[in-house]
Amino acid sequence: MESLVSYPAFESIAKRYPQAASSLFATYNDLLHAQRWEDLEVLDLPPCNRGALKGRKPNTDSTLFVVPCSMSETLSTSWLIDALRTLDEPDGIYLAISTEDSSIVYYRISRGFAKPPL
């Protein structure tokens, strides 16, 4: 991982939270290269023991937050609340769940109940 071009962007966070480094790596590269997000930043998320990502989808002005995790991890509602509080995003965050084959599924997590669009 250290030899990759994108590694310096998340090196300090990956060293701080090695158990979450592979999910951060996979999500960062997916958002940067496949999804073409702009202004992508790696953030420290100490209550969740991992890094998070902040950026914008192409041709949009809205800043979005993504918290990477692995499919093999067990998450709790208190963990999600900590992520929402720390990122202080009233519209919610995206949870990026990665698998061993590098597939990533994104779920939108909101505070409280959110009515889906019809």
Side-chain angles (χ1 to χ4, degrees):
M1 192 176 345
E2 291 85 2
S3 63
L4 298 169
V5 175
S6 59
Y7 185 71
F10 58 88
E11 178 179 16
S12 66
I13 299 295
K15 286 181 178 179
R16 190 171 301 135
Y17 310 113
Q19 77 288 353
S22 62
S23 296
L24 178 64
F25 168 76
T27 305
Y28 180 88
N29 284 302
D30 180 59
L31 293 177
L32 183 66
H33 300 296
Q35 308 287 333
R36 305 265 187 221
W37 276 33
E38 300 167 353
D39 302 324
L40 195 59
E41 293 178 51
V42 179
L43 307 173
D44 192 358
L45 200 58
C48 299
N49 294 318
R50 69 193 58 246
L53 300 165
K54 173 184 173 182
R56 296 181 298 108
K57 290 181 181 180
N59 305 313
T60 65
D61 293 328
S62 299
T63 299
L64 302 173
F65 294 90
V66 179
V67 180
C69 68
S70 168
M71 182 125 168
S72 63
E73 289 183 75
T74 301
L75 305 179
S76 65
T77 53
S78 63
W79 186 92
L80 291 170
I81 290 168
D82 286 343
L84 285 163
R85 277 192 193 130
T86 304
L87 295 171
D88 194 27
E89 182 53 37
D91 292 333
I93 60 173
Y94 286 88
L95 192 61
I97 303 171
S98 60
T99 62
E100 290 178 10
D101 71 354
S102 298
S103 299
I104 301 175
V105 177
Y106 295 91
Y107 286 95
R108 190 168 185 281
I109 308 294
S110 302
R111 292 184 178 167
F113 292 100
K115 181 180 177 185
L118 298 175

